[in-house]
Amino acid sequence: MHVTLALLYVSLVVMPGCLPTNGESIRNTINSIVNIAQITLVHIKKLKTKLPVAPQIEFNTPSIEGLTSITHDLRLLDNGLQSPFTDLLSQIQADVSSLEGRVHSLAQTMDCPIRARPEGETSDNLFPDSHLYLTLMKVQRYLEKLLLNKDKLKVC
């Protein structure tokens, strides 16, 4: 009987230290988001080596303000990856979708306001190769910018 009580006491005293705190959980989620972004950039660079030389396309990437804007921007990028090139972009689309899910979850954990999911674009693109490159470049530049501003993952 004394052994059982001793084990119960030890487990109750030691157990709270084994559970991650909210701060540790947020830190782990942010590290996971950064890792997924880095892996996605590798996937993009690998895909770009298999494609013909990309045309020069100019565009602006949205600013990274916090979890609310990051979630919205990743949803827009995810919608853009839903294209006729699903075979080529399937891994990158899966990466961005996973990334968006993690950022969305982190935003919910931190009680950040979340905008409604943007509607998917349906476009009859007359220049599919240009659309493919533009989509890849948008995702690549946004993720590079996200990695440079990863401190924004800590604010709404």
Side-chain angles (χ1 to χ4, degrees):
M1 178 73 170
H2 294 290
V3 173
T4 307
L5 287 174
L7 288 174
L8 178 63
Y9 176 77
V10 168
S11 66
L12 290 175
V13 170
V14 174
M15 189 61 145
C18 296
L19 297 174
T21 64
N22 193 31
E24 288 174 7
S25 178
I26 290 171
R27 193 171 27 258
N28 290 340
T29 303
I30 290 172
N31 287 338
S32 174
I33 290 167
V34 168
N35 288 337
I36 294 170
Q38 291 170 334
I39 289 168
T40 305
L41 286 172
V42 170
H43 289 152
I44 290 170
K45 289 174 184 169
K46 185 177 177 182
L47 176 59
K48 285 172 57 178
T49 63
K50 295 177 183 178
L51 299 172
V53 176
Q56 292 295 335
I57 301 173
E58 293 294 322
F59 61 91
N60 292 325
T61 57
S63 63
I64 296 177
E65 299 166 9
L67 291 169
T68 300
S69 69
I70 295 168
T71 301
H72 180 74
D73 295 338
L74 288 172
R75 286 176 172 176
L76 288 173
L77 292 172
D78 189 25
N79 287 346
L81 290 166
Q82 309 286 334
S83 74
F85 301 104
T86 50
D87 289 343
L88 287 173
L89 298 176
S90 63
Q91 180 61 56
I92 295 163
Q93 191 276 324
D95 292 345
V96 171
S97 181
S98 175
L99 190 59
E100 185 276 323
R102 300 259 175 140
V103 172
H104 180 82
S105 176
L106 180 60
Q108 286 180 321
T109 300
M110 295 177 64
D111 294 326
C112 298
I114 301 295
R115 299 182 207 162
R117 181 173 274 285
E119 294 290 323
E121 293 180 17
T122 55
S123 65
D124 297 328
N125 199 320
L126 297 176
F127 305 102
D129 290 340
S130 296
H131 179 73
L132 172 65
Y133 287 116
L134 179 61
T135 302
L136 283 174
M137 291 306 299
K138 280 182 179 180
V139 174
Q140 180 178 359
R141 288 201 185 142
Y142 188 81
L143 294 181
E144 288 170 347
K145 195 173 189 179
L146 176 62
L147 291 174
L148 290 174
N149 295 286
K150 61 185 173 190
D151 59 311
K152 299 294 183 174
L153 292 167
K154 297 176 183 174
V155 297
C156 289

